[in-house]
Amino acid sequence: MFLSVFDMFKIGIGPSSSHTMGPMTAAALFLDDLARLDPPADAVAVSLHGSLAFTGIGHASDRAVILGLSGETPDQVDPDGMEAIAARVRTRHRVTPPGHDGYRFDPAVDLRLDRKIPLPAHPNGMIFTATRDGAEVLRRVYYSVGGGFVLPEDQLDCPQRARAERLAVVPYPFTSAEEMLALAAESGLSIAEMKRQNELRFTDEADLDARLDRIAQTMMDCIDRGISQDGILPGGLKVPRRARALHDRLQADRQLNRPNPLLANDWLAVFAMAVNEENAAGGRVVTAPTNGAAGVIPAVLRYFRQFHPDLDAEAHRVFLLTAAAIGGLIKHNASISGAEVGCQGEIGSASAMAAGGLAAVMGGTPPQIENAAEIALEHHLGMTCDPIGGLVQVPCIERNAFGAVKAVTAASIAVKADGVHFVPLDACIRTMRQTGLDMADKYKETSLGGLATSVPVSLPDC
């Protein structure tokens, strides 16, 4: 199994990696196939199924499709210009991606949220079709499988094959935490060092470090934007941004120079909420490993950087490499998709990744790092994904704050022990997977159960 650190951390936009970035990426894949048609198509249509259909409006899946068909990609689109592009398409009933002549596409008619017919391979299914003179000339089915990953239906097993091929060429291949620890013990290397050596089979030192630095800086920029903004988040719930006011209060309290026993929790909460308020607003975020859980890892990393001034420049790279190794194990052996296993797969995975990364920069041994990740994941088992109104706001924003606090607690417990513990990380990951399989679909990012129905709201249709 080899999942790159850049598979786990992708720069994109909010509010959802599966439901926003995924459909936009799928549209880009569809455009690639469209460009090869001769003669060309003259119209396109899209239907979203399963979880995508139930929470598509709240997650801006409809706008993501429009943007993708217009030639935009999650890592390059200007968040400030997205609504203008979507409005233009809705008015003109046409998409004109670069390199194409353009296609008829009226979102009110040609973009359907089909809540009756789920697609078989995954809860996040999409069908893209193209026609010429009314006759279908191209049909593609895609699945958004979590964290921004998108697969065509005929390539669902390709990632496994590709990972197996890459596994054969990396110097430290591991498909489980047990194997990871054995390789670390045999080689004398840390988890981050093994991960770095694996990554260097596909890039060089300068490129790897530059890309890691860009990921870390994008996370920090997102926090900075989040603590500078106020107002009401979009979507109709009328949830106010709170990070700026909380940050200002913490800054004022610092000037008083008096003890605050809750200081660590307060700063972690502010940083995490800042990220996820930006995510809810459709801003620039990093999947970590998903958008819904994007605040946990940046919050822990920012807290450690801000309050440990002796931290060297390499620390955030060690943090991210270690976190990616943990996240890769979870994705390979379970899931990071809320639509597949509930929020335990999102916040739980992010907390485990952050705990492992923090334990690493605190000087933890590989067994202590594995212990930290297990503790954090264990205490998220069973968490449902039940966003009110289908929006990534309640309870999602506060859950990131708690995920960050749990990550720090888990790392602190683990590095103060010897690494020997009762529940292996592999067992915890298997349990998370099985719990997700046992969980009713209404608790897996459909907004058909849990808080989403206990707190009924009336939202606009678009």
Side-chain angles (χ1 to χ4, degrees), residues 128 205 270 310 400:
F128 287 71
E205 292 270 6
V270 164
D310 56 341
N400 277 263

Side-chain angles (χ1 to χ4, degrees), residues 172-391:
Y172 301 102
F174 52 87
T175 61
S176 67
E178 182 180 15
E179 292 176 356
M180 180 180 71
L181 292 178
L183 283 171
E186 179 183 334
S187 67
L189 299 177
S190 69
I191 293 170
E193 288 168 337
M194 291 193 300
K195 184 68 174 169
R196 172 176 281 274
Q197 292 305 311
N198 287 348
E199 295 284 343
L200 290 176
R201 284 301 176 97
F202 307 100
T203 187
D204 57 38
E205 292 270 6
D207 180 66
L208 176 60
D209 286 345
R211 295 177 69 188
L212 287 170
D213 293 349
R214 185 184 177 214
I215 292 294
Q217 189 58 52
T218 303
M219 289 178 173
M220 299 305 104
D221 290 345
C222 186
I223 290 174
D224 290 338
R225 285 196 310 272
I227 59 179
S228 69
Q229 305 293 319
D230 51 25
I232 302 298
L233 293 172
L237 287 183
K238 299 181 180 179
V239 173
R241 287 181 181 253
R242 290 174 287 170
R244 178 175 181 173
L246 291 171
H247 179 262
D248 290 348
R249 179 175 296 179
L250 285 174
Q251 290 284 53
D253 287 348
R254 290 180 74 180
Q255 308 304 317
L256 299 178
N257 197 29
R258 64 187 182 193
N260 177 359
L262 301 178
L263 193 60
N265 287 1
D266 289 344
W267 280 107
L268 288 165
V270 164
F271 295 150
M273 291 170 66
V275 171
N276 282 83
E277 287 174 359
E278 277 296 297
N279 180 63
R284 175 74 65 216
V285 298
V286 177
T287 63
T290 67
N291 283 28
V296 176
I297 289 171
V300 174
L301 180 57
R302 176 64 164 261
Y303 179 81
F304 199 70
R305 287 174 59 165
Q306 181 162 317
F307 293 99
H308 291 75
D310 56 341
L311 204 64
D312 62 43
E314 180 66 15
H316 70 263
R317 298 170 188 162
V318 170
F319 185 105
L320 292 174
L321 287 166
T322 306
I326 299 298
L329 291 175
I330 297 172
K331 179 169 175 58
H332 177 70
N333 294 300
S335 175
I336 59 171
S337 169
E340 196 169 16
V341 296
C343 201
Q344 59 174 353
E346 298 205 27
I347 296 292
S349 297
S351 189
M353 293 166 68
L358 181 58
V361 296
M362 290 171 66
T365 64
Q368 289 171 324
I369 292 167
E370 185 258 2
N371 187 17
E374 186 282 323
I375 293 170
L377 183 60
E378 177 183 330
H379 295 289
H380 287 89
L381 291 177
M383 181 177 282
T384 60
C385 184
D386 50 355
I388 295 176
L391 297 166

Side-chain angles (χ1 to χ4, degrees), residues 7 27 42 58 71 89 93 100 115 126 171 178 189 235 246 258 323 327 335 354 378 383 412 445:
D7 290 328
D42 57 32
V89 172
H93 302 165
H100 297 250
R115 299 179 178 180
M126 299 162 274
E178 182 180 15
L189 299 177
L246 291 171
R258 64 187 182 193
S335 175
E378 177 183 330
M383 181 177 282
S412 181
E445 209 169 359

